Amino acid sequence: MLNLLTAEKIKLFRSRKLLIVLAVLSFLPIFQVLNSKMLVHYGEELVQAIDTVINGATGILMMEKNGLTILLVISAFVSFFIGEEFQNGTIRNALSLGRSRTHYYLSKLMIAAILTLVGAFVMTAIGMIGFSVGFGFGDVAGISNYLWYTIKTFSTLYFLILSNVSIYVMISFLTKNSGISLIWSFLYTIGTGFGAGIFQQTEHFKRVTYWFTESFLFYSDFANPADIAKFREMILVSLITIVISSTIGILFFKRTDIK
């Protein structure tokens, strides 16, 4: 397993995918600080419930503010990172050495998870620093213990995003093609994300939508006490999603004929 992770790390550092992902995630908070500053300059007022991030303290919500962009960027990365292994036939190199398919699958998932964590941390740090410079650090209304709040919020947002990353990994192993995987990942993201908004208007299907973690990510206010109280539920649904998607992906991958 460690040998597989080392090999994956070397391949990742030699490609441009890592730099592209980090560049996009680093640029977003800088652009949003400048955009918010311009809006305020022309008389607009930033409101947390609408703009999500309005000062350095609410910068911890950068993942929520950019949830869709993060998912689309990571889904593209995963699609090419895994799909190219099948298309170029390099997957046979590891399997021919007797590597376990389960370990191979998990190594890809772990690399995607680590990259997501690094990207989320960089985006959040730049956002907090940038908005502190532009609007002061300030605070989060109703939060007394800010350190504990940041730990819970960052962890919850990361798990919500990671659960979707596990879906993208599963899709990539099922399709075995970068382009097809990218399309299905995009359809999944849009369908479960924005489609949930339609079903939430109905009384009977409203709760069902929260079995898809994007519903929490897109339709929750992580500075609202009512939504903060759901953090444990969000993490639980995320963990269930990760386990189910990984199990399905591994089972199908074990039955795949690698030509």
Side-chain angles (χ1 to χ4, degrees):
M1 185 69 174
L2 290 177
N3 291 336
L4 282 173
L5 288 174
T6 302
E8 296 295 345
K9 182 183 70 173
I10 293 173
K11 284 188 289 187
L12 184 61
F13 282 139
R14 288 179 177 177
S15 72
R16 297 181 180 178
K17 301 181 187 70
L18 175 63
L19 293 178
I20 293 174
V21 171
L22 294 180
V24 172
L25 298 184
S26 299
F27 171 76
L28 279 173
I30 296 174
F31 170 78
Q32 287 164 350
V33 170
L34 297 176
N35 184 60
S36 298
K37 198 69 176 176
M38 186 179 298
L39 290 176
V40 172
H41 176 73
Y42 284 103
E44 295 286 340
E45 180 181 354
L46 299 181
V47 180
Q48 191 279 318
I50 299 174
D51 301 290
T52 307
V53 178
I54 60 173
N55 55 28
T58 54
I60 193 65
L61 303 175
M62 289 303 299
M63 277 190 283
E64 179 191 1
K65 184 177 180 67
N66 298 285
L68 177 60
T69 304
I70 295 174
L71 293 181
L72 293 179
V73 170
I74 297 298
S75 68
F77 165 79
V78 170
S79 296
F80 287 102
F81 181 58
I82 297 176
E84 288 178 353
E85 295 278 12
F86 287 95
Q87 292 171 241
N88 297 334
T90 51
I91 187 174
R92 293 194 298 267
N93 298 336
L95 299 183
S96 63
L97 295 175
R99 305 299 184 189
S100 165
R101 291 199 180 195
T102 299
H103 287 169
Y104 186 86
Y105 185 100
L106 293 177
S107 68
K108 292 292 186 182
L109 177 60
M110 289 182 65
I111 290 296
I114 293 171
L115 176 62
T116 303
L117 178 61
V118 172
F121 181 81
V122 169
M123 169 182 279
T124 302
I126 294 176
M128 295 182 74
I129 294 171
F131 274 89
S132 294
V133 172
F135 303 95
F137 187 76
D139 57 18
V140 181
I143 301 300
S144 55
N145 189 338
Y146 180 75
L147 177 60
W148 180 233
Y149 168 75
T150 59
I151 295 173
K152 291 193 300 181
T153 302
F154 185 88
S155 301
T156 303
L157 285 168
Y158 173 68
F159 272 106
L160 289 174
I161 292 174
L162 181 60
S163 66
N164 287 279
V165 172
S166 71
I167 295 289
Y168 302 145
V169 172
M170 179 193 72
I171 291 174
S172 295
F173 272 94
L174 293 180
T175 60
K176 302 182 288 296
N177 182 283
S178 298
I180 298 176
S181 173
L182 187 61
I183 293 172
W184 278 108
S185 296
F186 177 80
L187 291 175
Y188 168 82
T189 303
I190 299 300
T192 58
F194 294 100
I198 300 175
F199 288 101
Q200 283 187 2
Q201 306 303 317
T202 65
E203 192 64 33
H204 297 291
F205 292 100
K206 184 176 182 179
R207 288 301 306 170
V208 176
T209 60
Y210 285 107
W211 280 102
F212 295 94
T213 52
E214 287 184 44
S215 299
F216 290 115
L217 187 61
F218 292 165
Y219 301 103
S220 299
D221 180 0
F222 287 75
N224 186 321
D227 290 324
I228 292 175
K230 298 179 182 177
F231 277 4
R232 290 186 178 179
E233 179 184 350
M234 295 180 189
I235 293 178
L236 176 61
V237 174
S238 298
L239 290 174
I240 292 174
T241 302
I242 293 170
V243 171
I244 292 177
S245 62
S246 298
T247 301
I248 293 174
I250 291 172
L251 289 176
F252 274 88
F253 180 46
K254 283 185 175 181
R255 298 177 181 179
T256 299
D257 182 22
I258 306 298
K259 296 181 181 180

